[in-house]
Amino acid sequence: MFSPPVARRVSWILPAAVFFRAALAAVSGQPLLPLPSEALEKYEDSPAYVWRTGVSPGMVSQHDAFTSHQVNVNANGQNITGDAANEPSICVDPTNGNKMAIGWRQFDSVASNFRTSGYAQTSNAGVSWTFPGVLESGVFRSDPVLISDKTGSFF
């Protein structure tokens, strides 16, 4: 739950997006298409227990001075084969840039559409990550968003 100051700061986003969409349509001369009437996210697959026993080396990729470390890894830093994730959201502690958290849509299997929210945290600037699992097993979730306040608390 956002605190009132954060809620006030983000409360303008939806009206601005609606205005921008209408203005863009007017300027481009295109008719304004109606918004979809059905939900964009659907609960299609039921949660399934997945035996994730396979592992492979965790991905570390380097480009010039930038090094990227895989986040959704087991306790030994190895990739968990067969799982899948997308739409990550990252936040950094403003009081300590070495502390970060990431949330994402977690799929228990590449063959499943059922999604939960996975998360991980680091305290060493992303060299290693702790991935404790999903927020709530078997609970359908989508599009996790993270934020940290000025004191370094993550939400």
Side-chain angles (χ1 to χ4, degrees), residues 1 3 22 27 29 50 68 70 85 89 96 112 117 129 141 143 147:
M1 182 102 179
S3 64
V27 170
V50 178
S68 176
Q70 182 177 345
S89 173
N96 180 353
S112 174
S117 289
W129 292 88
R141 296 189 180 272
D143 304 329
I147 191 169

Side-chain angles (χ1 to χ4, degrees), residues 71-139:
V71 174
N72 59 328
V73 294
N74 67 12
N76 296 321
Q78 297 172 308
N79 174 50
I80 304 164
T81 58
D83 77 335
N86 66 8
E87 299 189 10
S89 173
I90 188 169
C91 64
V92 179
D93 180 344
T95 66
N96 180 353
N98 289 325
K99 291 174 55 181
M100 295 179 270
I102 297 179
W104 59 84
R105 290 185 352 167
Q106 174 73 38
F107 300 85
D108 288 332
S109 164
V110 293
S112 174
N113 190 36
F114 185 84
R115 55 197 163 272
T116 59
S117 289
Y119 67 100
Q121 68 263 357
T122 182
S123 59
N124 61 4
V127 173
S128 62
W129 292 88
T130 301
F131 170 46
V134 299
L135 289 177
E136 293 176 280
S137 185
V139 176

Side-chain angles (χ1 to χ4, degrees), residues 22-34:
L24 185 62
V27 170
S28 67
Q30 299 291 323
L32 187 62
L33 299 175

